[in-house]
Amino acid sequence: PPSCMPAPATPATPAPSEGGAGGAATASGLALDFLEALIAPAFMRRAVAAGGLASAEYFELLRGLAAPVSCRLFLVARGTLPHLVALVDEEARAVRAVEEADGVLDLLQGRTLRALVELLASLVEPPTVRERLRRGGRD
């Protein structure tokens, strides 16, 4: 899997579709750019608020890009955890409010909460945390 750490700048690196040795570095940089955009607090909040299929697709894309341990470490280093915890709290409160008001659980809203919790769990799972501690927080 491609690394999520930025590749050193190289002049005129060809795109993966153009062939050449720079394709992997470009793919890594592109994955990093996508992660940067996807974890922006305003963007993440909009994706959660969208709910339904749009939210599910967002989390599927984010999950795929964050699959490599290096990408999860990148997300942790970028300070994603506190924002993610806040979103889990907000979404849990929203699900609870709907349940109390209607007496019915909104499954779509519950699915978004589950996706948030799964993402949070993937960022704090032992291999990710162990790697971060092994490096002594040097990222």
Side-chain angles (χ1 to χ4, degrees):
S3 169
C4 279
M5 295 303 127
T10 56
T13 303
S17 61
E18 296 173 7
T26 302
S28 295
L30 201 53
L32 184 61
D33 290 345
F34 278 130
L35 276 173
E36 285 276 2
L38 291 173
I39 65 167
F43 190 87
M44 191 179 271
R45 189 171 302 281
R46 265 195 323 239
V48 168
L53 184 58
S55 184
E57 288 177 349
Y58 165 80
F59 283 109
E60 185 62 31
L61 178 61
L62 187 56
R63 188 176 12 260
L65 287 172
V69 172
S70 60
C71 293
R72 293 190 308 250
L73 288 170
F74 170 77
L75 292 175
V76 170
R78 295 292 292 164
T80 305
L81 292 177
H83 181 65
L84 201 50
V85 168
L87 283 173
V88 167
D89 181 55
E90 289 173 22
E91 195 65 14
R93 290 175 191 271
V95 167
R96 177 73 174 218
V98 168
E99 184 181 22
E100 288 176 354
D102 299 339
V104 177
L105 181 63
D106 182 351
L107 292 178
L108 288 178
Q109 202 168 18
R111 185 171 16 169
T112 300
L113 177 59
R114 180 180 177 173
L116 284 166
V117 170
E118 287 173 350
L119 178 60
L120 179 60
S122 77
L123 296 180
V124 297
E125 70 184 359
T128 304
V129 172
R130 187 172 41 246
E131 181 67 24
R132 176 89 170 140
L133 291 174
R134 189 177 340 182
R135 291 182 179 176
R138 299 180 311 263
D139 284 338

